[in-house]
Amino acid sequence: MVRRMATGFDSLALSPALQAVVAELGYESLTPIQEQGIPVLLAGKDLVGQSKTGSGKTAAFALPVLQTLNLEDRTLQAVVLCPTRELCGQVAREFRKLGRRHPGLAVLTVSGGEPGRPQSEALARGVHVVVGTPGRVLDHLGRGTLRLGTVRSLVLDEADRMLDMGFEEDMEKILAEMPKQRQTALFSATFPHSIHVMSGRYQKDPVRITIEDPAEDEGQIQQAVVIVSPEQKIDALASVLATHPHESALVFCNLKSSVRELARRLSDAGVVTEALHGDLEQFHRDRVMAMFRNQSIRVLVATDVAARGIDVADLELVVNFDLPHSPEVYVHRIGRTGRAGARGISVSLVTPGEKRKLRDVEHHVGASIERMKREPETAATLLERIARDAKMAMLQISGGRKDKVRPGDILGALTGEAGGLEASEVGKIEIHDRWSYVAVATDKGKHALRSLNAGKIKGRRFRATLIPPQRHS
Ligand code: ADP
Ligand code: MG
């Protein structure tokens, strides 16, 4: 007799047809997100699901959707929004694979980079499931070729990536066209604050499922201090930066003047650095924050006031160049790292005269903080080690929301035949009223600049410029 494992598909209330398909596909056991997510979705509840890439999230939502489809009724019943054309293709393929015992099932991808006409024709004939990018779905809504009044389930797949790519407004417009009575499932690999906000706006009492990756530490912040004289702080900072590998680090100073001075020292040493403080104009601050969010600067030096509102999903390193004046501020500063199950490190430079302040902090966090030794080398040699390009380069495009420029348009201009970049080489896209920002892989910056300036977006020419990190001298 075959002993059935508790994590088998037959432990779920899935239809015999779906049970048969997963058996045919050789899926023997459920992945954790499927085990926990499928019952929630079958029960009709909203879901927020977080688990790492490759953990079977697609089947976790596709199986319940397939189970609830009424195939006889050729109207649109489920919509899946994905950030890119490639992902839409993958999700649609999985739907068709899992739906092979659902005769007459019609799944349509509605994404950019392919002509709209055949999509409109297929929509007119009627489909059960649409898998699309927000941009193209919105296009069809605008033309009246797609109507969402009959949709009962909505899936936002890779929601964090959709926000990164600036699809928030498009999604909002699409959501406004959906029936209020519907099921909404949201999947995301990371959980920045913006995802909580999104869930709060679009979902009803969602069940939240987070699958921790056992290979990784739980989202914890490792705290350390370095006791150092004021004169040696720069050396100590250089040591911290050089010994903690990071893509982007946030360094706090208590004073604007220290921010300026430190940014100058770091950029003089060749580290891609920006400064953020209250004296900068709002435009400049927004731009620096955009650069930090899209990883086109390596070190951001900031005052508390200016750093307010920085929402970075997986910041690896926070350094207190100065210990803040209150323990509450300390907790707030270091809380910017170690989010979403990621491991974060915070290091504070503390002068011998500040030991009392440090005790207050330790009292407040309820633990003693590890003392760390610094490298005996000087700042100059240490900074040489980390003086390399940031991961991304940022471009500014002279068209924005008021010019009806949307993320998909920029992505389209950069990828495919027109742009020559892979979607994976394009980072965050931010659309502002009069301009937009897009991050691309550093070594593709010049190429992206040329293709944007040579090509058109929405049939119009816009000017693109590469935003270099500022000189701070
Ligand atoms: P995610 O969206 O979480 O990144 P996918 O849904 O793309 O992951 O799934 C990754 C791969 O795992 C796919 O090829 C899928 O067919 C396969 N897969 C999904 N569920 C199972 C399962 N229970 N057993 C074996 N393979 C699975
Ligand atoms: Mg996926």
Side-chain angles (χ1 to χ4, degrees):
M1 198 186 98
V2 181
R3 185 108 60 88
R4 303 260 182 216
M5 287 195 306
T7 52
F9 279 89
D10 52 358
S11 64
L12 299 175
L14 280 179
S15 67
L18 290 172
Q19 300 267 6
V21 172
V22 291
E24 284 159 17
L25 292 176
Y27 293 4
E28 283 168 10
S29 57
L30 291 158
T31 67
I33 189 74
Q34 293 167 350
E35 186 184 5
Q36 297 179 40
I38 291 174
V40 171
L41 291 175
L42 284 177
K45 293 193 63 75
D46 282 2
L47 171 72
V48 177
Q50 178 187 15
S51 69
K52 68 172 198 290
T53 306
S55 59
K57 292 192 283 293
T58 320
F61 62 76
L63 289 168
V65 165
L66 286 167
Q67 173 130 330
T68 47
L69 287 180
N70 174 2
L71 294 171
E72 260 121 69
D73 181 8
R74 228 179 148 84
T75 58
L76 183 63
Q77 296 165 47
V79 170
V80 182
L81 295 178
C82 301
T84 65
R85 173 160 55 123
E86 290 79 8
L87 285 164
C88 288
Q90 278 173 33
V91 168
R93 273 195 298 281
E94 184 97 358
F95 257 101
R96 294 186 185 118
K97 203 165 79 177
L98 294 168
R100 64 208 241 182
R101 283 170 178 264
H102 285 59
L105 169 70
V107 179
L108 181 71
T109 54
V110 173
S111 56
E114 42 190 80
R117 173 73 73 80
Q119 292 173 359
S120 308
E121 286 166 2
L123 287 168
R125 284 194 298 273
V127 298
H128 302 111
V129 181
V130 155
V131 182
T133 52
R136 186 56 74 91
V137 166
L138 197 56
D139 279 347
H140 282 286
L141 277 178
R143 280 200 233 112
T145 42
L146 174 63
R147 285 185 198 86
L148 301 174
T150 52
V151 173
R152 290 194 310 259
S153 33
L154 167 70
V155 179
L156 305 170
D157 195 17
E158 309 227 1
D160 50 350
R161 182 92 174 108
M162 289 202 281
L163 289 181
D164 278 359
M165 293 178 63
F167 280 132
E168 190 168 358
E169 278 177 52
D170 287 2
M171 284 194 277
E172 192 151 321
K173 288 185 192 145
I174 295 167
L175 270 286
E177 304 284 317
M178 296 245 173
K180 291 261 177 306
Q181 279 290 345
R182 58 151 203 271
Q183 182 176 40
T184 308
L186 185 158
F187 290 89
S188 190
T190 62
F191 263 82
H193 180 64
S194 45
I195 292 287
H196 285 282
V197 173
M198 198 168 149
S199 165
R201 294 183 60 172
Y202 301 145
Q203 296 190 295
K204 263 185 235 143
D205 296 329
V207 174
R208 169 138 181 216
I209 296 173
T210 305
I211 309 294
E212 301 281 356
D213 185 354
E216 276 171 37
D217 274 3
E218 280 186 30
Q220 268 195 1
I221 307 167
Q222 185 193 328
Q223 302 171 54
V225 300
V226 184
I227 307 287
V228 63
S229 70
E231 305 77 53
Q232 289 178 320
K233 272 190 169 184
I234 298 258
D235 289 346
L237 173 68
S239 160
V240 169
L241 292 174
T243 50
H244 294 85
H246 59 275
E247 276 312 325
S248 37
L250 181 55
V251 178
F252 283 103
C253 297
N254 290 350
L255 297 171
K256 279 183 277 202
S257 53
S258 328
V259 166
R260 277 197 216 95
E261 164 70 10
L262 196 52
R264 189 177 60 73
R265 294 281 298 264
L266 291 170
S267 66
D268 282 353
V271 180
V272 185
T273 308
E274 275 289 351
L276 199 62
H277 53 75
D279 281 357
L280 299 171
E281 282 182 41
Q282 192 59 42
F283 162 77
H284 192 112
R285 268 161 42 186
D286 288 346
R287 184 151 99 179
V288 170
M289 298 241 240
M291 290 176 88
F292 192 58
R293 280 192 295 265
N294 67 34
Q295 300 194 304
S296 52
I297 38 184
R298 297 211 59 206
V299 179
L300 178 64
V301 189
T303 56
D304 290 296
V305 178
R308 225 173 261 162
I310 292 186
D311 181 12
V312 186
D314 39 18
L315 187 54
E316 296 154 290
L317 179 62
V318 170
V319 183
N320 290 312
F321 188 77
D322 301 311
L323 199 61
H325 296 301
S326 84
E328 287 81 10
V329 175
Y330 173 87
V331 170
H332 191 236
R333 282 183 184 180
I334 69 165
R336 291 168 189 284
T337 182
R339 290 193 184 166
R343 198 187 345 224
I345 297 171
S346 88
V347 184
S348 306
L349 309 185
V350 179
T351 62
E354 288 174 322
K355 287 206 170 140
R356 203 195 138 142
K357 220 159 86 177
L358 177 60
R359 269 202 305 280
D360 288 346
V361 167
E362 289 182 313
H363 185 75
H364 189 78
V365 300
S368 75
I369 303 174
E370 178 200 337
R371 271 36 169 189
M372 215 172 66
K373 287 254 175 310
R374 66 174 188 84
E375 305 279 294
E377 295 165 71
T378 61
T381 46
L382 287 163
L383 289 174
E384 246 169 49
R385 280 202 241 152
I386 56 164
R388 60 168 170 86
D389 276 343
K391 188 172 159 194
M392 308 298 273
M394 189 170 90
L395 294 146
Q396 181 171 348
I397 299 167
S398 66
R401 199 172 288 128
K402 296 251 154 84
D403 308 288
K404 307 258 189 290
V405 169
R406 294 209 310 252
D409 305 324
I410 296 177
L411 189 68
L414 285 168
T415 57
E417 273 173 38
L421 270 69
E422 298 292 322
S424 59
E425 293 170 328
V426 181
K428 277 186 200 269
I429 299 173
E430 281 190 20
I431 311 282
H432 293 251
D433 276 353
R434 296 277 173 209
W435 61 84
S436 310
Y437 297 127
V438 57
V440 298
T442 313
D443 56 344
K444 292 293 157 73
K446 295 245 165 63
H447 179 95
L449 186 67
R450 271 197 302 276
S451 40
L452 286 176
N453 279 323
K456 291 185 174 175
I457 297 174
K458 294 234 121 144
R460 279 178 61 187
R461 283 198 184 280
F462 291 103
R463 212 165 61 83
T465 36
L466 206 49
I467 304 298
Q470 298 292 299
R471 301 220 160 271
H472 300 279
S473 33

